[in-house]
Amino acid sequence: MEVELLLPLVRVGLMCLGVDSLQLLQAEAKAVCVAVFRAYPQQRTSVMDQVLAIITANSSSSGKQRPSRLFEASDAADRPLAIQMSAALLMEIVQASVQLPAVDAACEAITQGFRAAYGWSDYIWADLFGHLPAAKAAKNDGVADYKAVIDALLTDLLAVLMLPEWPAAPLLVRRFVKVLYSDKGLKHSDTAVKMASVDFTGQVAAKLCVEGVQADIEAPEVEHVLDAVKSAAEPSVLQGEEVAHDRLLHLLLLDYLAAVSGGHSNSSSSYSAAGSARQFWCCSILNDAIHPPRHATAPAVTREQLSAVLVEHRQLQDSRPPLLGSASVQLGLSRAQMVALVRHLNVFGPFGKGRATLTLIKWLVEAGSRQGPDPNPAQVRSKVFKCLGCIVDVDARVLRLPEVLAAVQAALEDDSISVREATLELVSKLITANPQLANEYHDVLRQASLDQSVSVRKRAIKSLWECCTCPGFTHASEALLTVLQRAGDQEESIRSLVTKICGSMWFASTSDFAGLSEGTTNKYSAGSTARSADLRAQELAKLCLMAYEADGKAIHVPLMPESPLLVTLKEILSSGSGSGSNAPTAAVKEQAAMWAGATEVAQALLGMVLRYQPEDDYTGKAGRFPHLLALHALCAADASVVAPAADPQRFVRCLAPYLAAASGQQGPGVSAADDAARRAAEELLCLTAVLAAALLHLGVMEQDVLQQMCTDLQVLINKYKFIQVVAAGCQTLCTVAQLYEPAELQIAQMATKCYTFALEALNQQQGITAPSPHKQLAPK
């Protein structure tokens, strides 16, 4: 055909690619275009320009609609796989750009023959990326959205990446990756181009992660197939005992494509897609044989050796019988197995056994860093961590990479809220279902809970709680303490979240909480489970002890009203015992359930105090203090929880005898600096606080109990060395006096005696030998 008629013919054929209903005509036009490209090397640039122009024109005419995809391919299960006809056209053009040289070809033609495929791949991406800065103007009529064009093409390439009929797809993706890390992609000065390039990098990295994971799963099956081939193949085919795995995989692949209709078509007049793919594979195998990997030492190759290699590969292409003889027929490999073999070839070959994925991830980390003289804008950095999140979705091992961990920690300190939010979402997305990652990243979440941004703090608190619901999470205590400390947050929604979390953990009979397990494997199962009052009481006591000790070693009982523990408990129990609430019925029921749960926990705590034995101390030699501290916190929040309707005075009757036991514990040889003495004093402070709160709430008590309490409190006041305990004893005695009249006289006598002692000490200091009787304090 005359050259002048070629381009109009190609142009007319390409015009039908934008019409959805002309599938058969599009397939024929595609074949004609590929045949012209193959048969007329001098016109290839013009043909490629026409193809790229038509593809972008179709994209602009389709507007925001996704480009139509026709059933042009088949997936691993031999089901129809919808890809664009234009994507199939570009891949087949690249496949048609190379062919095995003639036997008498020059050395340069043999060694450089496959370069044409690289060149045309680069030509495609250079044209599309060159117009990418205009993508932001795509809303204007008549302007092609090149980002959408690249995105649609890349999606199709990744869809057929591991299919044997499309060997040009891996090559196009590899050259695409090369363009990404250049001045046309990630290093471009335009922010829109950078964001698009980050998005593309994430897509490719996620796909390679998926294929890498699948290749690892299929590795035993591939080895089994190769062993079966070695056993079934004829010795003459194997050419020795040891044969490279890649050679066997290539022979299987070529036999598979040869069995497809048109797989032996080698001339331009009898072109077929299967034949083009088989020829491209042969050219690729020849190129790999001539140019070994970069890490391998390549010896000098003579002209005779090149000719011998070329002849060998021409025989592979032109051979009619199965290259493996009867072995190919005997094995009867399915299409899914062939796809697994191709995946093995690509993942452990061109894509470097995961090195390509690591490289892409490093590029993303670099794009998301604020380091350097010219860091990317915040929207680009935010996009980076969203893309990393997509990668983590398919392969959780990415989060364990040192580069990613360092990038996450740095991004959480970024000055942009959107970057910190995207980073936290990346971390939270996976660790809540992965105990190992949760244990590694819990410090990151605890740090994020102190962020200045409300949304970041709120997401961090949610993630910490979700980690606590994950069986096997060993830092639940620290995580819950961090959550509890946000009870005083300035944001109401965060305070409500903390209240909801703590209420469901402590007072709900069923909860997703997995428990405060210290081992690597939690005994609780995931999901909502029934939790006894004793278990909830133990966990409340342990968390109260941690919150108390986090404030320092000094004695600070009774608890301050602004302490996070009291603030949270008051919020939980604020309306639980009331009946006049105007809140919706569901909220009232929920509050009533919380209050009922709190009374159950209080009863359980009382039982633990009464049953306490030092040899059963699970709190690490803390004595009864954790249980008494938890009771004190509950009383300070709502004293009604220690006054059950069935027996309101039970808590006072059961706890009052401990005043007598405690008053005799501190003898003359006990030092106030002793840790055991300090802990005993803290127990007494909690005990007196609980008794005082309960008595004030009750307003009435058995006189015998009050009489004994008066006696015990007087002994406590007169003998105890800790001034905090003496003050608490005095306050409790005054509370008892409101219900027991004889206590008033005892208080007056003790006050007179104390005044006398103080006056004598003052007079002695001033040199006065005897106090004046009339200055003694009169009873009031």
Side-chain angles (χ1 to χ4, degrees), residues 262-487:
H264 274 294
S265 300
N266 299 326
S267 65
S268 58
S269 61
S270 58
Y271 173 80
S272 71
S276 174
R278 193 170 186 274
Q279 292 179 50
F280 190 86
W281 276 112
C282 290
C283 295
S284 177
I285 297 169
L286 173 62
N287 184 69
D288 293 341
I290 297 175
H291 305 284
R294 294 181 180 179
H295 61 272
T297 302
V301 181
T302 63
R303 176 69 175 80
E304 290 74 14
Q305 291 174 327
L306 281 176
S307 297
V309 172
L310 175 59
V311 170
E312 177 187 353
H313 287 80
R314 288 201 66 90
Q315 290 174 351
L316 291 179
Q317 175 181 291
D318 300 336
S319 176
R320 283 284 178 179
L323 299 175
L324 288 172
S326 60
S328 297
V329 180
Q330 293 177 10
L331 291 175
L333 298 179
S334 65
R335 176 172 175 79
Q337 289 175 310
M338 287 306 307
V339 172
L341 298 182
V342 175
R343 182 180 290 110
H344 185 86
L345 273 173
N346 286 327
V347 170
F348 295 97
F351 294 111
K353 300 180 181 179
R355 289 194 300 272
T357 307
L358 292 177
T359 300
L360 292 171
I361 292 173
K362 290 180 180 178
W363 291 352
L364 286 175
V365 169
E366 180 182 337
S369 174
R370 288 186 302 165
Q371 305 299 324
D374 186 22
N376 286 323
Q379 57 264 44
V380 176
R381 302 199 302 272
S382 176
K383 187 71 171 180
V384 164
F385 289 96
K386 291 178 181 178
C387 291
L388 283 174
C390 297
I391 301 173
V392 168
D393 282 342
V394 299
D395 191 352
R397 296 173 297 181
V398 171
L399 269 181
R400 298 194 182 97
L401 296 176
E403 301 89 345
V404 176
L405 177 58
V408 167
Q409 292 175 341
L412 287 175
E413 299 177 358
D414 198 288
D415 53 2
S416 172
I417 294 177
S418 62
V419 175
R420 300 200 299 273
E421 287 179 346
T423 306
L424 188 59
E425 189 65 30
L426 159 67
V427 174
S428 305
K429 187 177 293 186
L430 198 68
I431 64 174
T432 53
N434 189 319
Q436 186 174 357
L437 285 176
N439 290 324
E440 294 175 3
Y441 273 84
H442 82 281
D443 285 335
V444 174
L445 293 177
R446 293 174 64 188
Q447 177 185 356
S449 68
L450 304 176
D451 195 272
Q452 296 180 354
S453 169
V454 173
S455 58
V456 174
R457 295 201 306 273
K458 193 171 184 179
R459 188 66 181 93
I461 292 172
K462 286 182 179 179
S463 299
L464 285 170
W465 170 245
E466 290 168 355
C467 289
C468 293
T469 65
C470 180
F473 180 56
T474 59
H475 298 278
S477 300
E478 296 92 330
L480 290 174
L481 181 60
T482 302
V483 172
L484 182 63
Q485 290 172 341
R486 301 313 307 166

Side-chain angles (χ1 to χ4, degrees), residues 40 58 128 147 152 246 281 309 333 378 415 425 558 606 622 634 639 647 701 704 721-722 747 775 778:
Y40 296 90
N58 290 340
L128 296 178
K147 181 182 181 300
D246 286 357
W281 276 112
V309 172
L333 298 179
D415 53 2
E425 189 65 30
L606 177 63
L634 285 173
D647 188 1
M701 190 65 205
D704 293 343
K721 293 185 177 182
F722 282 89
I747 292 174
K775 289 192 175 183

Side-chain angles (χ1 to χ4, degrees), residues 28-328:
E28 294 298 329
K30 173 176 67 66
V32 170
C33 184
V34 173
V36 170
F37 185 89
R38 178 187 177 113
Y40 296 90
Q42 299 83 358
Q43 304 298 322
R44 287 181 176 179
T45 301
S46 300
V47 173
M48 181 63 77
D49 291 339
Q50 289 289 334
V51 170
L52 294 175
I54 290 296
I55 290 175
T56 54
N58 290 340
S59 172
S60 61
S61 62
S62 61
K64 295 184 179 181
Q65 298 179 354
R66 298 289 294 176
S68 58
R69 286 181 164 83
L70 305 179
F71 292 105
E72 182 64 28
S74 299
D75 63 5
D78 210 14
R79 295 169 301 193
L81 177 63
I83 65 172
Q84 297 175 98
M85 195 68 74
S86 58
L89 172 60
L90 288 176
M91 285 187 283
E92 291 189 14
I93 283 179
V94 173
Q95 291 171 189
S97 65
V98 294
Q99 54 186 333
L100 290 179
V103 176
D104 57 349
C107 292
E108 184 178 359
I110 299 175
T111 57
Q112 304 298 323
F114 199 72
R115 297 285 180 181
Y118 294 144
W120 289 113
S121 298
D122 293 343
Y123 189 92
I124 294 171
W125 297 126
D127 181 84
L128 296 178
F129 271 86
H131 294 87
L132 193 56
K136 57 186 177 182
K139 295 182 179 180
N140 299 332
D141 294 337
V143 178
D145 186 356
Y146 281 88
K147 181 182 181 300
V149 174
I150 297 175
D151 182 65
L153 178 57
L154 180 62
T155 300
D156 289 343
L157 292 177
L158 296 178
V160 300
L161 189 62
M162 301 301 170
L163 300 182
E165 299 87 358
W166 305 99
L171 175 63
L172 281 164
V173 171
R174 285 159 52 198
R175 306 309 289 184
F176 176 81
V177 169
K178 182 180 179 181
V179 179
L180 276 178
Y181 197 66
S182 68
D183 294 338
K184 296 182 178 181
L186 292 170
K187 297 182 180 180
H188 200 281
S189 59
D190 187 82
T191 300
V193 175
K194 287 183 178 180
M195 292 189 66
S197 300
V198 166
D199 199 5
F200 297 148
T201 306
Q203 290 183 48
V204 177
K207 178 62 175 181
L208 294 184
C209 279
V210 171
E211 300 299 345
V213 171
Q214 187 63 26
D216 291 337
I217 296 173
E218 295 171 346
E221 181 182 359
V222 172
E223 292 296 330
H224 175 73
V225 170
L226 293 177
D227 292 340
V229 171
K230 292 179 181 179
S231 301
E234 300 174 1
S236 59
V237 175
L238 296 181
Q239 300 178 356
E241 296 182 358
E242 295 295 332
V243 182
H245 282 188
D246 286 357
R247 175 176 173 80
L248 290 178
L249 292 174
H250 287 146
L251 294 179
L252 283 170
L253 178 60
L254 294 176
D255 280 350
Y256 172 80
L257 290 173
V260 179
S261 176
H264 274 294
S265 300
N266 299 326
S267 65
S268 58
S269 61
S270 58
Y271 173 80
S272 71
S276 174
R278 193 170 186 274
Q279 292 179 50
F280 190 86
W281 276 112
C282 290
C283 295
S284 177
I285 297 169
L286 173 62
N287 184 69
D288 293 341
I290 297 175
H291 305 284
R294 294 181 180 179
H295 61 272
T297 302
V301 181
T302 63
R303 176 69 175 80
E304 290 74 14
Q305 291 174 327
L306 281 176
S307 297
V309 172
L310 175 59
V311 170
E312 177 187 353
H313 287 80
R314 288 201 66 90
Q315 290 174 351
L316 291 179
Q317 175 181 291
D318 300 336
S319 176
R320 283 284 178 179
L323 299 175
L324 288 172
S326 60
S328 297

